[in-house]
Amino acid sequence: MDGALTHLDAAGNARMVDVSDKSETSRWARARAVVRMSPDAAARVAAGDAPKGDVATVARIAAIQAAKRTDELIPLAHSLPLTHVEPTVTVDVEQGTVTLVAEARVAARTGVEMEAMVACSIGALAVYDMVKGIEPGVVIERIELLDKTGGKSDFHR
Amino acid sequence: MDGALTHLDAAGNARMVDVSDKSETSRWARARAVVRMSPDAAARVAAGDAPKGDVATVARIAAIQAAKRTDELIPLAHSLPLTHVEPTVTVDVEQGTVTLVAEARVAARTGVEMEAMVACSIGALAVYDMVKGIEPGVVIERIELLDKTGGKSDFHR
Amino acid sequence: MDGALTHLDAAGNARMVDVSDKSETSRWARARAVVRMSPDAAARVAAGDAPKGDVATVARIAAIQAAKRTDELIPLAHSLPLTHVEPTVTVDVEQGTVTLVAEARVAARTGVEMEAMVACSIGALAVYDMVKGIEPGVVIERIELLDKTGGKSDFHR
Amino acid sequence: MDGALTHLDAAGNARMVDVSDKSETSRWARARAVVRMSPDAAARVAAGDAPKGDVATVARIAAIQAAKRTDELIPLAHSLPLTHVEPTVTVDVEQGTVTLVAEARVAARTGVEMEAMVACSIGALAVYDMVKGIEPGVVIERIELLDKTGGKSDFHR
Amino acid sequence: MDGALTHLDAAGNARMVDVSDKSETSRWARARAVVRMSPDAAARVAAGDAPKGDVATVARIAAIQAAKRTDELIPLAHSLPLTHVEPTVTVDVEQGTVTLVAEARVAARTGVEMEAMVACSIGALAVYDMVKGIEPGVVIERIELLDKTGGKSDFHR
Amino acid sequence: MDGALTHLDAAGNARMVDVSDKSETSRWARARAVVRMSPDAAARVAAGDAPKGDVATVARIAAIQAAKRTDELIPLAHSLPLTHVEPTVTVDVEQGTVTLVAEARVAARTGVEMEAMVACSIGALAVYDMVKGIEPGVVIERIELLDKTGGKSDFHR
C-alpha cells in the first residue's frame, strides 16, 4: 500500500481531488448491500412485494434518487451527470435477506463507485425503514463494491 | 410477529404512516456502522486523523448533514426538526475498523431511528470515500440500531 | 373579493406572510391532478401497473417526496413538518385518464394547500415522464384544490 | 402505438433509461401551463405586476429554480446541465388566465421535455400560491408540451 | 470572554449543540449585507429596478429561499421552521451601495441569527451575480448581525 | 461601462443567460472572505484549530458543499460540474481575522466566479456560526473576487 490518503493534502487537510486535467472516460461501478432479518420478516417483504409490489419499488426509487445526490451527501465527491443507475432488489425468504445491487454509469473524469455505494446503501435503509416496525433489530450486514471499470485500475471482488 | 408491514396499506400500497393524532414525546435513538479495512489502511486513517484531524471530522460532518436530510432520502420518512445529532468516530488500527456511532434526539410524533441509521451510514460512506483510493475493497460490514426510546416500545440491542 | 394579494406588501413587493402570531391548528388539504392520454396509453399504464405495480408507485413516491420539499419549490411557502401525505392513483382506461389525489396533514400556523397541490402535480408529472415516450402529447389537464380545513375558512369544491 | 412504456423493463420494474451509449445533441423543449382564475383575480395579478412587478418575477424564478432540480423531483429523470431556461408570464385579465411558457435547452444524451414541463408547472403553482388567499378555487387548467427538438423525433403541438 | 467555543466539545471536536432540554421561545434576528459598486453600476441596478423591478425581487427571493435552507448550508445549524423571513433591498446610487437587510422569526429552542445572516449574504451574492457582468470587482463589503432577541441574551449593534 | 445588466432582458425581466452556443473552456476563479473578530476570539479559533482541528475543517467542508450547490442558491446561475473546489482557512490571531480563500475549476460554457464567491461566503458564515456564541458582533468584513480566467476577459484584483 503506497502513499497517504488521496483525500488529504500534504498538511493533512481533507480536500476534493482535482480532476481538471483528467479526460472523460466511460465509467461503471456496481455495489451491493445486504439487509438481514428473520425469515418471517423477509416473508412479509416478499408478500408485500408480490408479484412486483411496493417494497422493492420504494427501495429502488430511493436508491436512484440518492445516487443522483451523491455529491450532496459525500463531502469530497464530485458532481457526476449519471447516464444510468440500475438498482435491483432480491428477497431470499429462507435466508432472511433482502439484497440490493446497484449499477451506475457515467462518462466522467472520475469514478462512480460512490454513486453505486450510496444507491445500494440508501435502498437498504429504505427497506430497513419499512421493516423496522415489525422487527427493529434488522441489520444491514454488508455494503461493498463489487466492480468498477473505466479508471486507472479496474476492481472486481 | 403480528400484522403486516406498517408502511403498506390494506391494498399493499406503500404509504407514509399518518402520525397526526400521536402526541409529541421526547425521542432518542443510537445506531452504529462499522467500516472494515486492512490494519494498514486503518493506520493511515488514524494518522490522517491525529490528533483530531480531518478524516473523522469529515465523516462526522457528513453524518450530521445527512441526518438533517433523512426525510429527503427515505421516501416514507417524516420531516423531523432534530434537536441533536452526535456522531462519534473510533479507529481501531489493530482490528482494522473505523466505527461510527450516531445519536439523534427530537421532540416529535414519531421516532428518530432512521435519522441515527442514516447518519452513521453516510458517515461510514464518507470514510469509505476517503479510503477507497488506497483500498477499494473496504467493506461497511454492519449497520444496526443500538437503542431507541420514547416511542410505544423501547429497543436496546 | 376584498383587498390585494396577501403575498404582496403595501409597496407591491412579494413577501412571505408572517405567521409568527398565529397559533398552531390541525390542517388538512386535498388536491387532484388529472393526466389525459389516449385509452391506448392508459391501458399500458394500467398494464404496467397490474396488479399493483411500478407506475403508480413511482408517481406516489414522487408525490410524497415533493410534498416534503414544497418550501424549496414555492418561494413564499413556509416549511411545514407534515404528519401525513397520502397520494392515490386511479387509472380509467376507457376515459384515458390517470388521476392523482393527494391529501396532506400538519399541525401548523398556516395551511397545507400548497403541499397537496405540489404532491399531485409532481405525481402527475412523473406519470407524464413515464408515458411521454409512447405519447408525447399527453396533457395534465387540470390541477385543483378539492378541500381544505383548519384555517380561517374551509374550502370544499 | 408500439411497445411498452420505456420506463418499465421486461419484468415491469420502473427504471431509469440507460443513455450511456447515446451521443450528446443539442436539445430544446417548450411547455405551457395555464392558470385559470376570475377576471377579478387576474386583474389583481396584473396590478401587482405592473409594469413588471413581483408576481411574474416570483413565478419565473420559481420556474427556473425548479427546472434545475428536475432530476430530484422526477424519480427516473437524468441530471442535465441546462444551458438555458426561459419562462415567460402573460396575464389575460379578460379571460382570467395567467399563462406560463417555459423553454429549456441543453446539450445532452436525452431530452429536456421534463425540465420545460416542471418549470412551467412550478411557475403555475407559485402563481396559485400568491392568488389562493383571495380565490382558493383557482385551477391550473392545462399543462402541456408545445415543442421538442433534438431527439429521435421532433414534436410540435 | 469566558470558556471555549460552544461548537467544540471537551476533546475539541466540532458538534451540534444539544438543545433538547431548552424550551421554545419566540426568536427574532436581523442582519445586514452591503454590496459596494461604482455609482454607475448602482444606477443600472436602480434602473433595472424601477419602479419595483427584477433585480431587487431576485435578490429577495434568493434570500428567502436560502434562509429556509440554512440547516443544509451551515453544518452545525439546527433545522428551524421559520414563521417569517423578510428581506429588504435598498439602492443608494450616489454611494454606490445595494444594502440587504433580512429579518427572521421562529418559535424555537435556538436562535435565528444564522438564518438572517444566510439570507442577507445569499441575497447580496445574487446581486453580485447580476452585476458582475458589468463590474467584476464589486465587493460585498460587510455582513453583520444587527439584532437578536428571544435567547439567553439579546444583541443590538 | 457599456450596456445594461446582462441578467435583464430588453423588457427588464431577470433571466438566465443563454450559454447554449458558447463552447466549453477551462475556467478558474478565486475569491476571498475575511471574518473579523477580537484577537481573543481568533485565539480561540486558532486553539480549537491546532494543529489542524475542527473549526477550519468544518468551514472548508461547508465551503465545498455550498460550491456544489451554487445553482440552487443563486437563481440565475447555471449548474456546473465542478472539477475542483479548494478552500483554505488562515487565522491571524493578532489581527483578529479568519480568512477563507476558495478556488473553483470547471470545463464549462460559463464562468465559476459564483462558485468561488459562494464557497468562501458560506465558509465564512460557518466560522461565524461557531464563534457567535462567544462574540455575536463578529463581522464578515469583505467578500471579493480575486481572480478569474478562461472567459471572454480575465480578472485579477
Side-chain angles (χ1 to χ4, degrees):
Chain A
M1 195 178 291
D2 288 342
L5 300 183
T6 51
H7 286 63
L8 297 187
D9 65 17
N13 294 321
R15 61 168 180 182
M16 201 177 175
V17 175
D18 186 353
V19 299
S20 308
D21 296 333
K22 302 175 84 169
S23 53
E24 278 189 16
T25 59
S26 180
R27 311 280 187 149
W28 174 68
R30 201 164 60 101
R32 178 174 58 202
V34 179
V35 189
R36 177 158 306 270
M37 59 193 71
S38 66
D40 216 17
R44 309 290 169 95
V45 170
D49 194 45
K52 54 184 180 56
D54 270 10
V55 176
T57 306
V58 171
R60 284 187 295 112
I61 297 300
I64 291 172
Q65 289 298 74
K68 289 189 276 188
R69 308 179 74 178
T70 297
D71 66 326
E72 298 184 12
L73 295 171
I74 305 300
L76 306 174
H78 296 82
S79 307
L80 301 184
L82 297 170
T83 53
H84 196 218
V85 183
E86 181 155 337
T88 57
V89 179
T90 317
V91 185
D92 183 327
V93 171
E94 209 167 294
Q95 292 294 321
T97 55
V98 178
T99 301
L100 274 281
V101 173
E103 289 185 58
R105 278 183 200 279
V106 74
R109 292 175 169 82
T110 185
V112 284
E113 302 96 293
M114 289 316 301
E115 282 70 13
M117 291 287 281
V118 164
C120 66
S121 300
I122 297 295
L125 287 163
V127 169
Y128 176 84
D129 180 46
M130 290 182 276
V131 176
K132 71 183 196 303
I134 57 171
E135 187 173 310
V138 166
V139 171
I140 299 174
E141 78 174 9
R142 197 174 174 84
I143 302 174
E144 63 191 332
L145 185 68
L146 296 180
D147 307 277
K148 79 166 199 155
T149 65
K152 219 163 41 188
S153 58
D154 289 357
F155 173 82
H156 300 287
R157 191 169 296 273
Chain B
M1 193 178 292
D2 288 342
L5 299 183
T6 51
H7 286 62
L8 298 186
D9 66 17
N13 294 321
R15 60 169 182 183
M16 201 177 175
V17 175
D18 186 353
V19 300
S20 307
D21 296 331
K22 301 176 84 170
S23 53
E24 278 189 17
T25 59
S26 180
R27 311 281 187 148
W28 174 70
R30 201 164 60 100
R32 178 174 59 201
V34 178
V35 189
R36 178 160 305 271
M37 60 192 71
S38 67
D40 216 16
R44 308 290 170 93
V45 170
D49 194 44
K52 53 183 181 57
D54 269 9
V55 176
T57 306
V58 171
R60 285 187 294 111
I61 296 300
I64 291 172
Q65 289 298 74
K68 290 189 275 188
R69 307 179 74 177
T70 297
D71 66 326
E72 299 184 12
L73 296 170
I74 306 300
L76 306 175
H78 295 83
S79 307
L80 301 184
L82 297 170
T83 53
H84 197 217
V85 183
E86 182 156 335
T88 58
V89 178
T90 316
V91 184
D92 183 326
V93 171
E94 210 168 291
Q95 292 295 320
T97 55
V98 177
T99 301
L100 275 279
V101 174
E103 291 185 55
R105 279 183 201 279
V106 75
R109 292 175 169 82
T110 185
V112 284
E113 301 97 293
M114 289 317 300
E115 281 72 12
M117 291 287 281
V118 164
C120 67
S121 300
I122 297 296
L125 287 164
V127 169
Y128 176 84
D129 180 46
M130 290 182 275
V131 177
K132 71 182 194 304
I134 57 171
E135 187 173 310
V138 166
V139 172
I140 299 174
E141 78 174 10
R142 198 175 172 82
I143 303 174
E144 62 191 332
L145 186 68
L146 296 180
D147 307 277
K148 78 165 201 158
T149 65
K152 220 163 39 188
S153 59
D154 289 356
F155 173 82
H156 300 288
R157 194 168 293 271
Chain C
M1 195 180 293
D2 287 343
L5 299 184
T6 51
H7 286 63
L8 297 187
D9 66 17
N13 293 321
R15 60 171 182 180
M16 201 176 175
V17 176
D18 187 353
V19 300
S20 307
D21 295 332
K22 302 175 84 168
S23 53
E24 278 189 15
T25 59
S26 180
R27 311 281 187 147
W28 173 69
R30 201 164 60 101
R32 179 175 57 202
V34 178
V35 189
R36 174 154 315 265
M37 60 192 71
S38 67
D40 215 16
R44 308 291 169 94
V45 171
D49 193 45
K52 52 184 179 55
D54 270 9
V55 176
T57 307
V58 170
R60 284 188 293 112
I61 296 300
I64 292 172
Q65 290 298 75
K68 291 190 275 188
R69 309 180 73 178
T70 297
D71 66 326
E72 299 185 12
L73 296 171
I74 305 301
L76 306 174
H78 295 83
S79 307
L80 300 184
L82 297 170
T83 53
H84 197 217
V85 184
E86 182 157 336
T88 57
V89 178
T90 316
V91 184
D92 183 327
V93 171
E94 209 167 293
Q95 293 294 321
T97 55
V98 178
T99 301
L100 274 282
V101 174
E103 290 186 55
R105 279 182 199 280
V106 73
R109 291 176 170 82
T110 185
V112 284
E113 301 97 293
M114 289 317 300
E115 282 71 12
M117 290 287 281
V118 165
C120 67
S121 301
I122 297 294
L125 287 164
V127 169
Y128 176 83
D129 180 45
M130 291 183 275
V131 177
K132 71 182 194 305
I134 56 171
E135 186 172 310
V138 166
V139 171
I140 300 174
E141 78 173 11
R142 199 175 172 83
I143 302 175
E144 63 191 331
L145 186 68
L146 296 179
D147 307 277
K148 80 167 199 157
T149 64
K152 220 164 38 190
S153 59
D154 289 356
F155 173 82
H156 299 287
R157 192 169 297 271
Chain D
M1 195 179 292
D2 287 341
L5 299 183
T6 52
H7 286 62
L8 297 187
D9 66 18
N13 294 320
R15 62 172 180 179
M16 200 176 175
V17 175
D18 186 353
V19 300
S20 307
D21 296 332
K22 301 175 84 169
S23 54
E24 279 189 15
T25 58
S26 180
R27 311 281 187 148
W28 173 69
R30 202 164 60 101
R32 178 174 58 201
V34 178
V35 190
R36 175 158 310 269
M37 59 192 73
S38 67
D40 215 15
R44 309 289 170 93
V45 169
D49 194 45
K52 53 184 177 58
D54 270 9
V55 176
T57 306
V58 171
R60 284 187 294 112
I61 296 299
I64 291 172
Q65 289 297 74
K68 290 190 276 187
R69 309 179 73 179
T70 297
D71 66 327
E72 299 184 13
L73 296 171
I74 305 301
L76 306 175
H78 295 83
S79 307
L80 300 184
L82 297 170
T83 53
H84 196 218
V85 184
E86 182 156 336
T88 57
V89 179
T90 318
V91 185
D92 183 327
V93 171
E94 210 167 295
Q95 292 295 321
T97 55
V98 178
T99 300
L100 274 281
V101 173
E103 290 185 56
R105 278 182 201 281
V106 74
R109 291 176 169 81
T110 185
V112 284
E113 301 96 293
M114 289 316 301
E115 282 70 13
M117 291 287 282
V118 164
C120 67
S121 300
I122 297 295
L125 287 164
V127 169
Y128 176 84
D129 180 46
M130 290 183 276
V131 177
K132 71 184 194 303
I134 57 171
E135 186 171 310
V138 167
V139 172
I140 300 174
E141 77 174 11
R142 198 174 173 83
I143 303 174
E144 63 191 332
L145 186 68
L146 296 179
D147 306 277
K148 82 169 196 153
T149 65
K152 221 163 36 188
S153 59
D154 289 356
F155 173 82
H156 300 287
R157 193 170 293 273
Chain E
M1 195 178 293
D2 287 342
L5 299 183
T6 52
H7 286 63
L8 298 187
D9 67 17
N13 294 320
R15 60 170 180 182
M16 202 177 173
V17 175
D18 186 353
V19 300
S20 307
D21 296 332
K22 301 175 84 169
S23 52
E24 278 190 15
T25 58
S26 180
R27 311 281 188 148
W28 173 70
R30 201 164 59 101
R32 178 175 56 201
V34 178
V35 189
R36 175 157 309 269
M37 60 193 70
S38 66
D40 215 17
R44 309 290 169 93
V45 170
D49 193 43
K52 54 185 177 56
D54 270 9
V55 176
T57 306
V58 171
R60 285 187 294 111
I61 296 300
I64 292 171
Q65 289 298 73
K68 290 189 276 189
R69 309 180 73 178
T70 297
D71 66 327
E72 298 184 13
L73 296 171
I74 305 300
L76 306 175
H78 295 83
S79 307
L80 301 183
L82 297 169
T83 52
H84 196 217
V85 184
E86 181 157 335
T88 56
V89 179
T90 317
V91 184
D92 183 326
V93 171
E94 208 167 295
Q95 291 296 320
T97 56
V98 178
T99 301
L100 274 281
V101 173
E103 291 185 55
R105 280 181 199 280
V106 74
R109 292 176 169 82
T110 185
V112 283
E113 300 97 294
M114 289 316 300
E115 281 72 12
M117 291 286 282
V118 164
C120 67
S121 300
I122 296 296
L125 287 164
V127 169
Y128 176 84
D129 181 46
M130 289 182 276
V131 177
K132 72 183 196 304
I134 57 170
E135 187 173 310
V138 166
V139 171
I140 299 175
E141 77 173 10
R142 197 174 175 85
I143 303 174
E144 62 191 332
L145 186 67
L146 296 179
D147 307 277
K148 79 165 199 158
T149 65
K152 220 162 42 187
S153 58
D154 289 356
F155 173 82
H156 300 286
R157 191 168 296 272
Chain F
M1 194 177 292
D2 287 342
L5 299 184
T6 52
H7 285 63
L8 297 187
D9 65 17
N13 294 321
R15 60 168 180 185
M16 201 176 175
V17 176
D18 186 353
V19 300
S20 307
D21 296 331
K22 301 175 84 170
S23 53
E24 277 190 17
T25 59
S26 180
R27 311 281 187 149
W28 173 70
R30 202 165 59 102
R32 179 174 58 201
V34 178
V35 190
R36 176 158 307 271
M37 59 192 71
S38 66
D40 215 16
R44 310 288 170 93
V45 170
D49 194 43
K52 52 184 179 59
D54 269 10
V55 176
T57 306
V58 171
R60 284 188 294 111
I61 297 300
I64 291 171
Q65 290 297 73
K68 289 189 276 188
R69 308 178 75 178
T70 297
D71 66 326
E72 298 184 13
L73 296 170
I74 305 300
L76 306 175
H78 295 82
S79 307
L80 301 183
L82 298 169
T83 53
H84 196 219
V85 183
E86 181 156 336
T88 57
V89 179
T90 317
V91 184
D92 183 326
V93 171
E94 209 168 294
Q95 292 294 321
T97 55
V98 178
T99 301
L100 273 281
V101 173
E103 290 185 55
R105 277 183 202 280
V106 74
R109 291 176 169 82
T110 185
V112 283
E113 302 98 292
M114 288 317 301
E115 282 70 14
M117 290 288 281
V118 164
C120 67
S121 300
I122 296 294
L125 287 164
V127 169
Y128 176 83
D129 180 46
M130 290 183 275
V131 177
K132 71 183 195 303
I134 58 171
E135 187 173 309
V138 166
V139 171
I140 299 174
E141 76 172 11
R142 197 172 174 85
I143 302 174
E144 63 191 331
L145 186 68
L146 297 179
D147 307 278
K148 78 165 200 158
T149 64
K152 219 163 41 190
S153 59
D154 290 355
F155 174 82
H156 300 287
R157 193 168 294 272

